[in-house]
């Protein structure tokens, strides 16, 4: 198969493409500039995917599109989420109109909004940030779009990714950055909220397997299925990475739209990872 991955140079792109390259399929890594990494079976294709008239042809008629591209993912109040929404819709629409076999789009647990407990595909969505609103709207539009077509749509809901690189924008990346700068304290919230954390490498494996699988599942959680308090996970991260830094609890207020305890139902992803459809 030929798999197009958009947002290749983004926070998650290189890790997911690395996993996909192990499958032996041909990977087209798409971003504004050439792909920054050298993996087997991966060809770089630079360009602005929103400005290409026939992206299906431009990207070599792929069998699968894995749409990771998204601006300002860590800035939940950015108006770019709403401004870019029609562009994402038009790109995916062009691919569906061209007869693409399968489209996998990366969503977010922030589509759900304030919720206590486990999330599955039937959990009602009432997003409370521009980021969540835009992701939720794109999912709904894509679901309508593929009705009556031969294109399969799979929507991957990401949760909280734990990475140990300073290049990212997550709290874990910021901790690495602060420690490397010699800082001894790190401003923090109360840390009482419980989330679903997944290590970066495991997240990439899950997304890659979802893209390659033949499951009929439409909305899939890329998750651990277990809640853990933010303070516990961050303290463990500090210990595991031998960081000489302490959390300054209460320096930042807790975000009002963050749930006290929210995690993903891992039933589907466990079946997919075990080879069940």
């Amino acid at each position: 198969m030929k798999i197009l991955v958009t947002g290749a140079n983004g926070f998650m792109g290189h890790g997911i493409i690395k996993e996909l390259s192990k499958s032996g399929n041909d990977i087209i890594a798409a971003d504004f500039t050439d792909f920054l990494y050298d993996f087997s079976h991966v060809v770089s294709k630079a360009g602005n995917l929103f400005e290409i008239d026939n992206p299906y042809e431009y990207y070599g008629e792929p069998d699968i599109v894995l749409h990771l591209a998204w601006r300002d993912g860590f800035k939940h109040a950015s108006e770019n989420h709403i401004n870019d929404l029609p562009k994402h819709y038009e790109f995916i629409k062009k691919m569906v109109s061209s007869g693409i076999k399968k489209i996998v789009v990366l969503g977010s647990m922030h589509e759900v909004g304030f919720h206590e407990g486990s999330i599955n595909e039937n959990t009602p969505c009432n997003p409370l940030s521009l980021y969540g609103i835009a992701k939720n709207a794109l999912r709904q539009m894509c679901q309508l779009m593929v009705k009556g077509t031969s294109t399969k749509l799979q929507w991957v809901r990401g949760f909280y990714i734990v990475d140990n690189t300073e290049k990212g924008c997550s709290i874990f990346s910021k901790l690495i950055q602060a420690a490397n700068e010699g800082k001894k304290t790190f401003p923090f919230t109360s840390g009482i909220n419980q989330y679903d954390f997944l290590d970066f490498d495991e997240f990439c494996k899950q997304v890659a397997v979802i893209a390659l699988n033949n499951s009929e599942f439409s909305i899939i959680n890329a998750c651990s299925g277990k809640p853990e308090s933010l303070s516990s996970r961050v303290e463990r991260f500090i210990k595991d990475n031998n960081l000489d830094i302490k959390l300054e609890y209460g320096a930042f207020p807790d975000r009002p739209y963050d749930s006290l305890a929210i995690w993903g139902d891992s039933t589907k992803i466990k079946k997919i990872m075990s080879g069940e459809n």
Side-chain angles (χ1 to χ4, degrees), residues 20-48:
L20 286 170
S21 70
K22 297 175 183 178
S23 69
N25 292 292
D26 295 326
I27 315 298
I28 305 103
D31 213 314
F32 292 108
T33 58
D34 287 333
F35 189 51
L36 300 174
Y37 303 86
D38 184 18
F39 299 135
S40 59
H41 305 288
V42 178
V43 174
S44 180
K45 187 73 171 177
N48 187 338

Side-chain angles (χ1 to χ4, degrees), residues 225-240:
K226 300 175 182 178
E228 183 177 0
S229 72
L230 179 60
S231 61
S232 172
R233 188 62 190 91
V234 173
E235 292 282 11
R236 183 153 55 90
F237 179 84
I238 291 172
K239 181 179 179 181
D240 290 345

